[in-house]
Amino acid sequence: SNLALFERRAKRLKRKMRRFLRPGHDPIRERLKRDLFQFNKTVEHGFPHQPSALGYSSFLHLMAIGTRSGAIKVYGAPGVEFMGLHEETNTVMQIHFIPGQCRLLTLLDDNSLHLWTLKQTHSNMSELQEERHFTLRGPPGSPPSATQVTAILAHSSQELLYLGTESGNVFVVEIPSFRVLEDRTISPDVVLQRVPEEYLNRRSLELVEALREHPQNPNQILIGYSKGLIVLWDLINNKATHHFLGNQQLENLFWQRNGRQIISCHYDGSYAQWPVSSDDRQPEPLESKVPYGPFPCKAISKIYWQTTKNGLPYIIFQGGMPRASYGDRHSISVVYGNQQTAFDFTSRVIDFFVIANADPLAEFDDPSAMVVLAEEELVVIDLMSPGWPSVQPPYLASLHCSAITCSHHVSNIPLKLWERIISAGSKQNSQFSNMQWPINGGTSKAPDPPQRDLLLTGHEDGTVRFWNASGVCLNLLYKLSTVRVFLTDADPNDNLNQMGEDEWPPLRKVGSFDPYSDDPRLGIQKIFLCKYSSYLAVAGTAGQVLVMELNDEEAEQVVDHSEADLLQDQEGYRWKGHERLKTKDGPVRFEPGFQPFVLVQCQPPAVVTSLALHSEWKLVAFGTSHGFGLFDHQQKRLVFVKCTLHPSDQLALEGPLSRVKSLKKSLRQSFRRMRRSRVSNRKRRTAEVRGCAVSASHTVVPRIELAPVQRKIEARSAEDSFTGFVRTLYFADTFLRDSSRHCPSLWAGTNGGTVYAFCLRVPPAERRMDEPVRAEQAKEIQLMHRAPVIGIVVLDGQSTPLPEPLEVAHDLSKSPNMQGSHQLLVVSEEQLKVFTLPKVGSKLKLKLTALEGCRVRKVTVTNFASCKSEHSENDLAVLTNLGDIQIISLPALKIQVRYPCIRKEDVSGIASCVFTRYGQGFYLISPSEFERFSLSPKWLVEPRCLVKVPENIGNSHVHSTPGVEKVGWLKGSSKICQNWYTSILANHLTIS
């Protein structure tokens, strides 16, 4: 009996103690949180920022790009991506793949060499790992130029590196040990022993500009020096067999496939062909040509000479343009017989390579594609199709072809809408080649995307781009332009690729990068897409709001215009900013895709700061720094406007493009804040002293649980700038007037902490075109600290966020609970607060700024699903000004987890962040790259790929110099026999 009594008391005590346990200590909830939340940075979308080097492996069919920040990215077939980062943030100068291996070598600008390997893990995936690094050192007292690497040759033996330096020396280094073979160093003194005296008197060798291995004989390499001397070096006998005496400064070298000729390109814009004979006669150039002469030309920095079956070679070279007229052009020329085109790029060319027949036993090159890495984009040219069209890349998209101004993500796109968008995009892409993507190495092991996702980006030039964000590769589906609606200096029918028949040089623009906007007022600021009705709303910098509908056919139609005067009842205000955009009169022809049918012009034409679209009610709401309005796009009439401008707020009338700033007013406001802060601190210290005096008078002080320390938050003045700035708009069907009837409503939150609620009367469908939509203000809430309102959400009777418009009609969501009382969640920069509806009574709040010292920058309702069970829940994903992401439960407002995501100094990255509905997100890590992250272990999009050495090729194309040396009878045989025996020996060793 005593034992039973003890157990009952223990259970009673346990129940009492549960009340004092914090929710975070619940072990069941902690396990569930591990299944719901997990932070991962998964993949980088877009084009690498500031690329500096390019490498390609014809053996693995992989491409590598290095950047100025020390990053290295390897790409193959779509979905095959690897990324590595050097410990030092130095510029990657060169990238070379090791022949016949899954290894590559990088050279940094600090003269260090780094060996990387694509290593297969236990999970049957490949990872890019750095094996070791090495810096070439000279003898004590030698200058840095003695070992400054300028050229690298990864020998086909897979065991040696030849490093050319500024001093003219060529060092031999073993890999992977990075041991320098000092006895095999090729010094300038030895090279010059057989050079004619008259040539020596004119010049010195200077630095090594190029190193090339003989394509048919691995025992010979070509060494090119900057002053023009080219040497064919015998590795077996350690001597020069041929000297090619160039008279111009050398830029680069290229071997013809059969090894009988070499091509040299020079600083004066010329290239020369040199025969390689079997005797010791002094070779003379077969031909020396300046393609764009006779006037002074820019240097030809790289050249390819590709043979074909029909006898005509492809001559491909970078540069060579006339200096006076085209010195600022970035071009690569392709010459094939009578065809010649100079591809003109809008950014500097970093490097390029040509994809040709990779079979070492093939007689001809037969090039198929040219891959060009420019400073701002990757361009691939199809050399097999007539006209040499471009190939649209499946990755490395130039997101910043025009500067990104906003972004919008839509999850789980219906199949019908997806197909219609792709169809519209395919009609735009008719100028691209149908060629299969030529860089196809590796195998993607990632599962198929669970759903179709769209990422929409708005741009400075007035375009909206639709990106397939379902998987690892972010590729363009469709581009929408709003320029056709307005009168601008640019003609959208201009064809940059048009070229006159007699124009010389034969330039042709390629690529999509165009950083210049014809009019900054065209910039897109807000996007809202309804995936169920195919309605799209787009708002811009000059107060323009366009409502569009998807049309599968080309159409010519008149765009209806409507004006919304947000200052209609105010006097004494004068807009100092830019003018509105002028619109075209009459019908406008639009391509298949999203076509605008109505334009709402805000007055004054300030930047549109918030946008909401309700496709079921056929309403669009918009807000600026002066107020907000509601427009009925079915009847094409303005429902109402509301001015939110404070009488003292003159900065809102200056516009974003105005340079006039009220410095005096800003200083006055700063001093007022400082004065208020001093007064409040003095009062707080006085209260603390009094509290201490009272406590000291008591002999016994009871031990109590103290609340968390809160920071003192100063209320913001109503006179602060941009208090009328509308930050958020939200449609909801909820209880606004009384608890017995719900009605459509529009909610607006401002920069001054004010929330407006309007009751809407939307006629039923049968009378929708006959009766107008009416609106009446029902509520106005003023937050105490006047902090900017970031988001508004209404929760139904089961504390679930209201579904999206038409989501219930498409059976994709349950109907909201209209039996219990609704709740209003208002998210400001400083706190989250829950109110009861319809009385708007304060129920619950979470003071983020007071407790955490941070301010809210982005917030969205996110659905998190467990990776181990059927459980799912709706929570808030919050991004703060410190770059942290916090997951907050609904409706309890409890912080579940906190993850560091973005550096707090990266203001633009924080401002560009966009959350998805199912626990993912994107933010800009550079003007051209999105970093993708995941907050849920169930929704994880990341590269999972494998790279293996091709078994059908094996090592048959890899030369084995030691094997050739051991067989005496091969020394007098032909090079073809040597290569044949080397191939047999390599295969034999592999089998053994």
Side-chain angles (χ1 to χ4, degrees):
S1 61
N2 291 336
L3 181 61
L5 179 63
F6 176 78
E7 289 178 350
R8 285 197 299 271
R9 288 179 177 176
K11 289 179 180 179
R12 196 179 303 120
L13 181 62
K14 187 176 180 180
R15 284 195 299 270
K16 288 182 179 180
M17 290 299 295
R18 280 179 181 170
R19 291 181 299 171
F20 299 97
L21 289 175
R22 287 184 294 174
H25 288 180
D26 183 1
I28 298 177
R29 179 62 186 174
E30 290 299 314
R31 285 196 297 270
L32 183 59
K33 281 162 61 174
R34 287 194 292 270
D35 299 338
L36 289 171
F37 314 120
Q38 183 182 348
F39 179 77
N40 291 283
K41 290 186 178 181
T42 55
V43 67
E44 293 178 1
H45 296 303
F47 185 77
H49 185 51
Q50 295 182 329
S52 56
L54 176 68
Y56 176 69
S57 170
S58 59
F59 176 67
L60 298 174
H61 300 283
L62 295 178
M63 172 183 65
I65 296 176
T67 69
R68 293 187 196 173
S69 60
I72 177 171
K73 300 185 177 184
V74 180
Y75 300 92
V80 177
E81 297 183 15
F82 303 94
M83 179 179 173
L85 191 64
H86 295 87
E87 291 183 6
E88 309 84 3
T89 56
N90 295 86
T91 300
V92 180
M93 302 300 293
Q94 296 185 38
I95 301 175
H96 299 270
F97 282 86
I98 307 301
Q101 293 186 353
C102 292
R103 282 176 171 165
L104 63 151
L105 186 80
T106 57
L107 171 68
L108 304 189
D109 63 354
D110 64 353
N111 206 40
S112 62
L113 292 163
H114 299 254
L115 186 63
W116 299 79
T117 183
L118 288 168
K119 191 173 183 180
Q120 191 168 338
T121 62
H122 297 293
S123 58
N124 200 28
M125 300 294 168
S126 296
E127 290 182 356
L128 183 62
Q129 300 177 0
E130 184 178 357
E131 282 191 50
R132 60 186 67 197
H133 59 272
F134 161 78
T135 302
L136 187 63
R137 305 290 182 189
S142 60
S145 62
T147 55
Q148 183 68 42
V149 178
T150 57
I152 298 175
L153 170 62
H155 196 264
S156 60
S157 64
Q158 306 178 359
E159 299 172 353
L160 298 176
L161 292 176
Y162 291 87
L163 307 178
T165 62
E166 283 188 1
S167 62
N169 289 297
V170 177
F171 294 91
V172 185
V173 178
E174 281 187 339
I175 51 173
S177 64
F178 281 125
R179 184 171 68 93
V180 180
L181 305 179
E182 297 181 359
D183 58 325
R184 299 180 66 174
T185 300
I186 305 172
S187 67
D189 297 335
V190 179
V191 171
L192 294 173
Q193 287 178 0
R194 296 179 58 193
V195 176
E197 288 294 333
E198 64 273 12
Y199 189 84
L200 283 177
N201 293 336
R202 291 204 310 265
R203 66 193 70 235
S204 61
L205 293 182
E206 290 198 355
L207 60 88
V208 177
E209 199 69 59
L211 290 170
R212 298 288 182 265
E213 182 179 340
H214 195 295
Q216 301 296 329
N217 185 358
N219 298 323
Q220 292 182 344
I221 63 172
L222 204 61
I223 308 173
Y225 297 92
S226 62
K227 284 299 184 179
L229 177 64
I230 306 168
V231 174
L232 184 59
W233 189 263
D234 188 342
L235 299 176
I236 300 297
N237 300 310
N238 203 29
K239 69 173 185 178
T241 61
H242 295 76
H243 292 82
F244 305 88
L245 308 180
N247 295 320
Q248 296 293 334
Q249 181 175 324
L250 181 69
E251 291 289 322
N252 219 320
L253 293 171
F254 184 80
W255 273 108
Q256 284 194 12
R257 192 179 189 93
N258 56 16
R260 296 172 185 169
Q261 284 187 17
I262 59 173
I263 316 298
S264 62
C265 54
H266 302 273
Y267 182 77
D268 65 342
S270 66
Y271 67 84
Q273 296 174 256
W274 303 83
V276 181
S277 59
S278 57
D279 53 33
D280 294 339
R281 288 182 302 172
Q282 189 65 46
E284 294 292 334
L286 293 175
E287 180 185 13
S288 182
K289 185 175 182 181
V290 182
Y292 297 112
F295 302 105
C297 295
K298 292 176 65 179
I300 295 180
S301 57
K302 192 172 184 178
I303 191 166
Y304 278 81
W305 189 290
Q306 302 281 288
T307 59
T308 61
K309 293 184 178 67
N310 61 7
L312 293 174
Y314 277 87
I315 307 171
I316 305 171
F317 56 90
Q318 177 184 346
M321 285 283 140
R323 287 186 181 275
S325 304
Y326 301 94
D328 59 341
R329 299 299 182 97
H330 314 288
S331 67
I332 295 179
S333 299
V334 180
V335 182
Y336 178 68
N338 295 326
Q339 303 177 52
Q340 182 167 348
T341 300
F343 294 100
D344 188 13
F345 300 86
T346 54
S347 59
R348 183 172 62 92
V349 174
I350 303 297
D351 201 356
F352 76 101
F353 60 85
V354 175
I355 298 178
N357 193 338
D359 185 359
L361 301 180
E363 187 178 354
F364 302 102
D365 295 300
D366 292 325
S368 58
M370 177 178 67
V371 181
V372 183
L373 176 66
E375 200 167 34
E376 304 293 350
E377 62 184 329
L378 183 80
V379 179
V380 178
I381 304 297
D382 180 3
L383 297 178
M384 296 191 299
S385 300
W388 300 329
S390 299
V391 182
Q392 190 169 17
Y395 45 71
L396 289 173
S398 183
L399 299 175
H400 65 314
C401 45
S402 175
I404 296 176
T405 50
C406 65
S407 54
H408 175 67
H409 188 275
V410 187
S411 300
N412 206 9
I413 302 293
L415 179 60
K416 185 176 180 181
L417 174 61
W418 185 264
E419 292 175 343
R420 294 177 69 188
I421 292 174
I422 291 178
S423 175
S426 63
K427 295 172 184 177
Q428 293 178 337
N429 298 333
S430 58
Q431 75 274 16
F432 287 107
S433 167
N434 295 323
M435 178 186 195
Q436 293 291 324
W437 183 243
I439 306 168
N440 53 11
T443 305
S444 176
K445 298 284 188 178
D448 293 334
Q451 61 185 28
R452 295 169 293 273
D453 289 354
L454 275 179
L455 179 65
L456 281 70
T457 54
H459 297 265
E460 192 180 42
D461 62 352
T463 59
V464 179
R465 285 169 167 81
F466 291 65
W467 305 92
N468 177 4
S470 310
V472 174
C473 296
L474 188 75
N475 55 327
L476 183 65
L477 298 180
Y478 165 69
K479 183 180 80 170
L480 163 70
S481 178
T482 61
V483 179
R484 290 180 180 272
V485 181
F486 306 102
L487 290 172
T488 62
D489 296 334
D491 184 359
N493 295 318
D494 284 346
N495 186 1
L496 295 177
N497 290 333
Q498 287 181 351
M499 182 175 61
E501 294 181 2
D502 300 328
E503 183 180 348
W504 188 262
L507 291 166
R508 187 174 79 181
K509 287 272 187 186
V510 287
S512 60
F513 179 72
D514 183 10
Y516 305 106
S517 174
D518 298 307
D519 194 330
R521 297 174 296 172
L522 291 168
I524 305 298
Q525 297 296 330
K526 295 293 175 181
I527 305 169
F528 202 108
L529 172 66
C530 176
K531 60 186 178 183
Y532 304 113
S533 64
S534 303
Y535 281 116
L536 173 69
V538 171
T541 303
Q544 69 271 27
V545 180
L546 286 165
V547 185
M548 312 184 190
E549 192 171 14
L550 187 59
N551 189 352
D552 298 329
E553 302 296 332
E554 185 179 293
E556 188 172 359
Q557 62 190 31
V558 176
V559 179
D560 289 284
H561 297 174
S562 182
E563 191 169 296
D565 184 6
L566 299 176
L567 300 177
Q568 56 183 1
D569 297 328
Q570 306 291 328
E571 295 182 358
Y573 289 103
R574 185 171 61 88
W575 172 247
K576 303 175 186 177
H578 51 265
E579 296 180 354
R580 57 176 286 179
L581 285 163
K582 295 180 181 179
T583 55
K584 293 180 179 178
D585 296 327
V588 182
R589 181 171 294 278
F590 296 103
E591 298 175 342
F594 285 95
Q595 300 171 353
F597 61 89
V598 67
L599 165 67
V600 183
Q601 178 62 54
C602 299
Q603 288 290 3
V607 174
V608 178
T609 57
S610 55
L611 185 68
L613 176 71
H614 201 293
S615 50
E616 188 174 0
W617 300 338
K618 303 292 191 298
L619 299 175
V620 60
F622 49 89
T624 71
S625 55
H626 307 121
F628 61 95
L630 181 67
F631 187 81
D632 180 356
H633 65 76
Q634 184 168 0
Q635 292 189 6
K636 299 178 182 177
R637 61 177 291 273
L638 190 66
V639 179
F640 78 92
V641 292
K642 171 71 176 178
C643 181
T644 58
L645 195 65
H646 194 273
S648 65
D649 192 0
Q650 291 296 324
L651 286 180
L653 292 169
E654 293 179 359
L657 303 181
S658 173
R659 297 182 180 273
V660 182
K661 295 295 179 185
S662 180
L663 179 60
K664 187 184 295 184
K665 182 173 181 179
S666 299
L667 289 172
R668 189 186 307 122
Q669 291 171 354
S670 299
F671 283 120
R672 284 177 182 172
R673 291 194 193 98
M674 291 170 63
R675 195 180 303 117
R676 287 197 301 265
S677 180
R678 289 197 199 101
V679 172
S680 62
N681 288 338
R682 195 180 302 119
K683 290 180 179 179
R684 188 166 63 250
R685 285 197 297 270
T686 304
E688 289 173 355
V689 170
R690 290 177 181 172
C692 291
V694 172
S695 299
S697 64
H698 290 79
T699 55
V700 179
V701 180
R703 188 175 181 181
I704 59 174
E705 182 76 20
L706 297 176
V709 177
Q710 297 187 17
R711 294 165 177 81
K712 180 67 175 178
I713 306 300
E714 295 296 334
R716 308 185 191 197
S717 171
E719 297 181 359
D720 285 357
S721 299
F722 296 106
T723 54
F725 185 116
V726 180
R727 297 289 292 266
T728 184
L729 292 164
Y730 178 74
F731 286 106
D733 187 359
T734 186
F735 300 93
L736 196 55
R737 294 191 177 278
D738 54 58
S739 57
S740 59
R741 291 179 300 173
H742 57 88
C743 65
S745 63
L746 172 65
W747 300 76
T750 71
N751 213 44
T754 307
V755 177
Y756 299 96
F758 280 77
C759 184
L760 307 178
R761 181 187 175 277
V762 181
E766 60 273 12
R767 300 195 304 273
R768 184 64 179 82
M769 290 299 296
D770 302 327
E771 299 179 11
V773 176
R774 301 190 183 278
E776 183 181 356
Q777 185 170 340
K779 306 287 182 184
E780 182 174 336
I781 308 168
Q782 179 62 61
L783 300 182
M784 185 172 59
H785 290 134
R786 300 182 182 276
V789 178
I790 305 299
I792 298 173
V793 179
V794 172
L795 308 177
D796 67 6
Q798 293 181 338
S799 299
T800 302
L802 297 182
E804 295 179 3
L806 296 175
E807 191 174 11
V808 176
H810 285 75
D811 297 327
L812 296 174
S813 176
K814 295 180 180 179
S815 298
N817 188 314
M818 293 296 184
Q819 303 303 319
S821 60
H822 284 196
Q823 300 173 76
L824 171 69
L825 171 64
V826 177
V827 181
S828 73
E829 276 192 359
E830 297 175 358
Q831 66 180 10
L832 290 76
K833 197 166 186 178
V834 175
F835 299 89
T836 58
L837 289 177
K839 294 184 178 181
V840 195
S842 178
K843 181 179 179 181
L844 188 65
K845 63 183 174 182
L846 173 62
K847 300 179 179 180
L848 275 181
T849 304
L851 297 175
E852 306 290 332
C854 58
R855 296 185 185 275
V856 177
R857 288 291 179 259
K858 301 280 182 175
V859 63
T860 191
V861 176
T862 302
N863 182 267
F864 290 94
S866 171
C867 60
K868 295 183 179 178
S869 64
E870 298 297 324
H871 175 79
S872 66
E873 62 185 45
N874 290 304
D875 297 297
L876 284 179
V878 175
L879 176 68
T880 71
N881 64 324
L882 302 180
D884 295 336
I885 293 178
Q886 301 184 17
I887 308 299
I888 300 174
S889 62
L890 285 176
L893 299 186
K894 301 293 183 182
I895 299 177
Q896 302 298 300
V897 289
R898 182 186 295 105
Y899 302 115
C901 180
I902 311 173
R903 292 182 300 106
K904 63 180 180 181
E905 298 84 9
D906 188 4
V907 179
S908 60
I910 294 173
S912 66
C913 182
V914 56
F915 290 107
T916 75
R917 189 176 179 182
Y918 296 102
Q920 296 186 66
F922 303 81
Y923 69 93
L924 287 172
I925 55 175
S926 74
S928 59
E929 290 174 289
F930 273 113
E931 175 82 70
R932 186 176 191 143
F933 62 87
S934 174
L935 302 172
S936 169
K938 186 167 184 177
W939 301 92
L940 202 62
V941 177
E942 61 180 353
R944 297 175 60 84
C945 35
L946 177 65
V947 174
K948 288 183 177 181
V949 176
E951 295 179 358
N952 58 335
I953 298 177
N955 293 327
S956 61
H957 79 296
V958 178
H959 299 293
S960 177
T961 306
V964 176
E965 292 179 15
K966 290 178 183 179
V967 185
W969 63 269
L970 277 175
K971 288 192 175 181
S973 61
S974 67
K975 295 173 185 176
I976 296 177
C977 291
Q978 292 182 14
N979 291 334
W980 171 79
Y981 178 77
T982 303
S983 173
I984 296 297
L985 179 63
N987 283 329
H988 174 72
L989 293 174
T990 304
I991 295 170
S992 300

